[in-house]
Structures are given as C-alpha cells and as structure tokens.
Amino acid sequence: MKNRFLATLALAALMMACHKDDVTAIRPTVVEPASFAGLTTRYAPPVQVFEFDPTVAQTFTSSGGARLEMQANSFVGTDGTAPTGRAVLHFQEIYSPAEMILAERLTMMGFHRGLESGGEFNVSLNEKVTGRPLRLSVRDGVSSRKLRLQSPVPTRVLNSPALTRMIEWTPSVSNPSFWVEIDTLSLDGSNGHSANPLGTLPVPFVPNTGGANGSFITSFWPNQLGWLNIDTYYPFGTQTVWVFLQTEAGGDETRMFFVPTGINGAFQPVSTPTNNLAMLENIPLGAELTAVVIRVQDGKYFFGTQKARVTPSIVYRPVLEQVSEEELVRRLRLL
C-alpha cells in the first residue's frame, strides 16, 4: 500500500511538473508600437550579402532570380586603388508595387509623373576588413560591361506593351525620390541627363523556350553603383487630368499612394495646401487606380484602399480601418 501511495505521489508530481513546463513555454507575443519606420525595416525587400574575391570573375544568383556577373579586377576604391583582400557585395531587388511601397522606392520621375518598372536594384560594394567603399573601375572613360545584370521580368510586365520600351534610370541628384534616365554622360558617376539617352537599354530578352518569362539584361551602370531602375514612361494618354486623394484628419503618420491596375508601379501624390489632400497629375482619363492610405495613430496601424476609374475631378477617399502589421502587409501584396 505504501509503495502504491508513493507511486501515486510521484505520478502527480510528474504531471504537475509537465503542466508547469507547458504553461511556462507559452509566452505572449511582443507587439511593437506601430510606426512606418518599423514597418519598412521589417518588411522591405532584404539586402542580400555576397562575399567574394574581387580578383576573380564571379557570378551570383539572388533569391529573386536575378543573376549578377562581374569581371575580375572590376572594382577600385574611391581613390582609384585596387581593393585589398576579399570584398562584400550588397544587393536589393524590387519587383512589385508592394515592395516599392515597403522599400520607399516609388516609380516617380520629375514633375511628379509616374513610371512603369521592370525591376529596381541596389548594388553596393566594400572591402570586407576595412569597410572601404568600392566602385566600378573606369577605363577610357567607360565603366560599362564590367558588371552584368540579368533580371527576371516581373509578372505585371509580361503582357504589357512596356516590355519592349524599358530604359535605365538612376535616382536624381537633386531629388533622390525621383528617377532620371541614364545616358552616356552618367556612366562616369555624375548621374547627369542629356538629350542623348542610351534609349533602348536594357535590351529586353524574351526567349521562346519552355514558357520562360524571359529577362532584362544590362551591363551599363554608373561607376558609383547604387540604385538602378529598369523603367519606362507611364502611358499618359491623349487626355490626362489631375487626380486627388483625401484622408480623414488626424494620425501621427500618414502615407498616401496610387497603384495603377495592370501597371507595375507605385506613385506618390504631392501634398496640397488643403489639409489631408494630395494630388497626382497627368493621369489618363479612364485609367484604373487604387488609392492606398497607411496611417499610424496611437501606436496602431490603420489601412484603407479605394479602386476606381479616373474621371474629371475625381477625389479618392479610402475608408480606414485598424489592422495588424501582418494584415497590412498581406493587403499590400494583393494590390
């Protein structure tokens, strides 16, 4: 009887210990207060890192399917001297409107006009040990054809007339939020713009085998590297109008965007003197846009969209509702 009693006590103690362990293992999820900076930090397309020997030809394939090929001895420091030891390449790729919004790399040129993107890419290099920045070396005034990018065609561009009209763009020196065309004057790193753009670069390459989506291929980069955008002009149309986006008053942070249906781009309207009202110019009548508003208020996210075709004097007024960060990102990716 005594042995049975001791065995029962031992079993009860074991059950209590197991129950205690189970309870201890269940911890509440820590939710950070909402902020646009936190949102973009956690959900912007990640920076991919590749380590290599810069004296040897290299080929890297990104997680998104882009292929980077570089010649040996193609990089130097800002003082023109060869790198010492191994180098590190940082690469970021963007293919969709959601990624453009989350990375804050919108498809806008000067005069607040939109562009259609075949992909946005950011490349930087540095020495592994010293951290010294590296750039493409220049020979005979040209830094091209030393770094070759072959990138996949985004799904939204596959059936677009823009497929064969893509050209290269880099951030404007005067306003990095805008893109300017790369031309022969910008290959030395000046990011200038002249009347003689390279035009049809990068050359679209769409193979006829296996139902492949094809790819864009380019070997032209400013020697300082940085951002490169494979873009073309948004089809403005013969009749264009201003479109307006209005939000409710309040909030700690508010971001407003337009995403065109069937066009691979994300536009940012410009604020007006009227509170909570922004506008975007040169949008074709009849085009379909989705207005997107992200608001942070009292440590929470609020999100709203409205899809409608453009008519004269149209004003988009999305209704905002509170959402979790994960739900906000999910809805962005559905645009």
Side-chain angles (χ1 to χ4, degrees), residues 22 27 32 42 61-62 72 82 109 117 138-139 141 152 168 186 205 213 236 249 254 265 274 283 311 330-331:
D22 289 343
R27 296 182 176 88
E32 296 185 17
R42 287 184 284 275
T61 301
S62 72
M109 59 175 289
S117 180
V138 177
R139 183 169 52 198
E168 295 184 22
S186 68
F205 174 66
N213 290 349
F236 297 122
T254 300
T274 303
I283 300 299
T311 59
R330 187 190 73 82
R331 295 190 190 185

Side-chain angles (χ1 to χ4, degrees), residues 194-216:
S194 76
N196 298 304
L198 294 175
T200 58
L201 296 174
V203 178
F205 174 66
V206 184
N208 296 319
T209 59
N213 290 349
S215 56
F216 293 114

Side-chain angles (χ1 to χ4, degrees), residues 63-94:
S63 60
R67 181 182 174 91
L68 284 163
E69 301 172 3
M70 58 190 73
Q71 298 178 11
N73 302 308
S74 292
F75 306 101
V76 295
T78 53
D79 60 358
T81 60
T84 302
R86 296 181 68 78
V88 177
L89 179 147
H90 299 85
F91 181 73
Q92 192 175 21
E93 55 192 339
I94 296 173

Side-chain angles (χ1 to χ4, degrees), residues 9-313:
L9 285 179
L11 179 60
L14 179 61
M15 292 177 67
M16 291 179 64
C18 290
H19 179 68
K20 182 180 179 181
D21 288 343
D22 289 343
V23 172
T24 303
I26 301 174
R27 296 182 176 88
T29 301
V30 177
V31 179
E32 296 185 17
S35 72
F36 200 76
L39 176 70
T40 55
T41 297
R42 287 184 284 275
Y43 287 96
V47 176
Q48 301 166 59
V49 180
F50 303 93
E51 182 182 326
F52 67 101
D53 180 350
T55 66
V56 178
Q58 306 284 337
T59 299
F60 300 113
T61 301
S62 72
S63 60
R67 181 182 174 91
L68 284 163
E69 301 172 3
M70 58 190 73
Q71 298 178 11
N73 302 308
S74 292
F75 306 101
V76 295
T78 53
D79 60 358
T81 60
T84 302
R86 296 181 68 78
V88 177
L89 179 147
H90 299 85
F91 181 73
Q92 192 175 21
E93 55 192 339
I94 296 173
Y95 299 108
S96 71
E99 292 172 331
M100 296 167 192
I101 290 172
L102 291 169
E104 298 185 272
R105 299 305 311 183
L106 305 176
T107 53
M108 302 292 296
M109 59 175 289
F111 306 105
H112 299 278
R113 294 183 177 180
L115 299 167
E116 181 172 4
S117 180
E120 301 175 348
F121 308 93
N122 190 22
V123 175
S124 63
L125 290 98
N126 58 271
E127 291 179 342
K128 178 182 179 181
V129 175
T130 67
R132 182 174 67 135
L134 301 175
R135 59 175 175 82
L136 282 168
S137 60
V138 177
R139 183 169 52 198
D140 299 327
V142 177
S143 62
S144 62
R145 297 185 172 85
K146 294 182 178 180
L147 177 62
R148 181 178 186 268
L149 170 69
Q150 181 172 345
S151 61
V153 177
T155 303
R156 291 169 79 105
V157 182
L158 283 175
N159 298 315
S160 170
L163 184 65
T164 57
R165 296 201 302 264
M166 294 290 176
I167 56 179
E168 295 184 22
W169 305 67
T170 54
S172 167
V173 172
S174 59
N175 187 344
S177 298
F178 290 158
W179 301 93
V180 295
E181 296 175 38
I182 287 185
D183 58 39
T184 52
L185 296 182
S186 68
L187 291 177
D188 63 357
S190 64
N191 286 342
H193 177 63
S194 76
N196 298 304
L198 294 175
T200 58
L201 296 174
V203 178
F205 174 66
V206 184
N208 296 319
T209 59
N213 290 349
S215 56
F216 293 114
I217 301 174
T218 184
S219 298
F220 285 86
W221 298 76
N223 71 341
Q224 302 291 348
L225 298 172
W227 281 97
L228 179 76
N229 195 350
I230 300 174
D231 257 34
T232 191
Y233 296 94
Y234 177 65
F236 297 122
T238 55
Q239 286 185 296
T240 60
V241 296
W242 293 84
V243 294
F244 296 88
L245 173 52
Q246 190 167 38
T247 65
E248 304 166 3
D252 304 315
E253 295 181 89
T254 300
R255 299 289 192 278
M256 295 181 282
F257 310 96
F258 282 109
V259 176
T261 300
I263 300 291
N264 198 38
F267 309 152
Q268 188 160 43
V270 60
S271 297
T272 72
T274 303
N275 289 338
N276 310 307
L277 184 69
M279 62 185 181
L280 190 67
E281 64 176 310
N282 291 299
I283 300 299
L285 284 172
E288 189 174 62
L289 298 178
T290 298
V292 181
V293 176
I294 301 173
R295 171 166 290 176
V296 174
Q297 184 172 348
D298 299 327
K300 302 179 179 64
Y301 290 108
F302 294 82
F303 183 80
T305 63
Q306 180 188 353
K307 179 184 286 189
R309 293 201 175 274
V310 173
T311 59
S313 303

